[in-house]
Amino acid sequence: MLALIISSSLVYSAPLIFTAIGGVFSERSGIINVGLEGIMVMGAFSAILFNLAFLDQFGDWTPWLGLLAGGLVGAILSLVHGVATIHLRADHIISGTVLNLIAPALGVFLTRALFDGHGQTDVIRKAFGKFNFPILANIPLFGPIFFKATSLPAYVGIIVAFLTWYVVYKTKFGLRLRSVGENPQAADTLGINVYLMRYLGVIISGILGGIGGAVFAQSISLNFSVSTITGQGFMAMAAMIFGKWNPIGAMLAAIFFGFAQSLAVVGSSIPVIQNIPPVYLQIAPYVITIIVLVSFVGKSQAPAAIGTTYIKSK
C-alpha cells in the first residue's frame, strides 16, 4: 500500500515540481508569473501534438523529446509575458491572467482545426510508463517502495530542484538573479543588466512550466482537451509560495500537492480514507491550495522587488 501511495504521488507531483521550480526562477527575478497555468496548457498541447506526429521517427525517445517541444512553446509564451511586464510595464497579474485566458481557448481552437472538429486529440501510444530503477529496485524494503514501478520524470524533477538550488544560491548567475529581484536599482549600479536577468528568469520559468504541462499530458491524461490542465499551474504557484521561493522547498511542497491529487485515484485502496466519498477526495487538492495560499502568502517572505516595474532612468 505504501508503494502504491508513493508511486502515485510521484506521478502527480512531477508536473508540479517542474512548474514550481520555474516559478522560483521568475519570481526570484522580480516577475510574478501567474501565467504558469496557461503555459502548462500549451506545453501539454505541444507535447501531445509532437508525440502523435513523431512517434514513428523517435520511438521510445518520443515522450522525452515531447518535453522539449512543451518547453519551447512555454518559452515563447513566457517571452510574451516578459515583454509585457518588463518593457511595456504591464501589471504582472493582468498579463499572466491574459495568458491563462488565451491558452485554453487557443489549445481548443487548434485541436478542433487539426483533429476534424473534435474537442480532444487522439490518445498517444507512447507515454511515460512505470519505471524500475536497475539494482535499486531490488534493495530490500526500500527498493519496492521508492524505486520500483515509479515515475522517472519525478526523479528527474527532484534532481532539477537540487541543481536549481545550487544555481540560485551558489553561482554568480543566481546571485545576480536574486539581486534584481531584491533591489534592481542597486543591482544596476553594480553593472548588472536588470532587464536581461529578468527576461532570463521569465523564460526559464516558461521552459520549466511547459515541461510540467508536457509531463502531465504524457503521463496522466495521455491526450489533450480543455480539461487536461485544471488548476495544476496554480497548485505549482502555491507550492512555490509554500516552499518560500526555495527550489528544494518548492519541490517538497509539490510532492505534497501531488499526494493530495493522487488521493482521488488511490484513496479507495487506503483503509483510513476508503469510505470518504470520491468527490471530496477530488476537490481536496484545490481546497488545500486555497488553505495554503491564505495561510502562507502573508507569512512567507517574497523577494522585495517582486511585482515591481523597473525603469532604468529612475
Side-chain angles (χ1 to χ4, degrees), residues 30-303:
I31 303 297
I32 301 173
N33 196 351
V34 178
L36 287 173
E37 175 85 1
I39 290 172
M40 285 189 75
V41 170
M42 293 310 297
F45 170 79
S46 304
I48 292 295
L49 196 64
F50 181 92
N51 195 307
L52 291 171
F54 294 101
L55 175 61
D56 294 335
Q57 286 84 353
F58 297 112
D60 292 341
W61 285 99
T62 306
W64 295 100
L65 295 175
L67 300 187
L68 299 181
L72 176 61
V73 172
I76 294 172
L77 282 180
S78 64
L79 180 60
V80 174
H81 180 58
V83 171
T85 55
I86 298 171
H87 269 102
L88 300 183
R89 304 171 188 173
D91 183 273
H92 298 200
I93 304 298
I94 294 176
S95 176
T97 301
V98 169
L99 286 184
N100 292 338
L101 293 174
I102 290 176
L106 179 60
V108 171
F109 171 78
L110 293 175
T111 299
R112 291 186 179 277
L114 297 173
F115 292 89
D116 299 325
H118 296 156
Q120 61 184 21
T121 66
D122 298 333
V123 175
I124 59 175
R125 291 179 289 140
K126 190 65 180 180
F128 291 115
K130 300 291 186 179
F131 182 78
N132 296 321
F133 283 91
I135 302 176
L136 296 177
N138 298 323
I139 298 176
L141 184 61
F142 292 104
I145 295 176
F146 293 101
F147 304 114
K148 188 174 182 179
T150 189
S151 170
L152 184 56
Y155 281 94
V156 174
I158 292 171
I159 293 173
V160 170
F162 282 98
L163 290 176
T164 299
W165 179 88
Y166 180 81
V167 169
V168 171
Y169 291 102
K170 299 296 182 180
T171 66
K172 184 184 295 185
F173 171 81
L175 177 60
R176 291 178 175 179
L177 186 76
R178 287 183 288 123
S179 68
V180 301
E182 294 290 343
N183 193 328
Q185 287 80 9
D188 195 6
T189 61
L190 295 174
I192 298 173
N193 189 327
V194 176
Y195 292 153
L196 175 62
M197 295 307 300
R198 287 192 164 184
Y199 269 116
L200 290 175
V202 174
I203 291 173
I204 293 172
S205 78
I207 292 172
L208 292 173
I211 290 175
V215 170
F216 188 95
Q218 295 182 108
S219 60
I220 298 173
S221 68
L222 305 186
N223 72 345
F224 177 82
S225 67
V226 70
S227 60
T228 297
I229 303 297
T230 53
Q232 282 77 17
F234 296 110
M235 289 182 198
M237 287 197 67
M240 174 194 64
I241 295 170
F242 196 13
K244 298 182 178 179
W245 290 268
N246 183 299
I248 297 177
M251 176 265 292
L252 294 174
I255 293 176
F256 170 73
F257 281 106
F259 166 72
Q261 278 190 289
S262 70
L263 290 179
V265 178
V266 301
S268 60
S269 303
I270 304 175
V272 178
I273 62 173
Q274 62 183 357
N275 294 324
I276 297 178
V279 65
Y280 293 119
L281 297 179
Q282 291 171 1
I283 67 173
Y286 307 101
V287 175
I288 292 173
T289 301
I290 294 173
I291 293 174
V292 166
L293 289 174
V294 171
S295 303
F296 289 91
V297 165
K299 298 178 182 179
S300 297
Q301 187 64 42

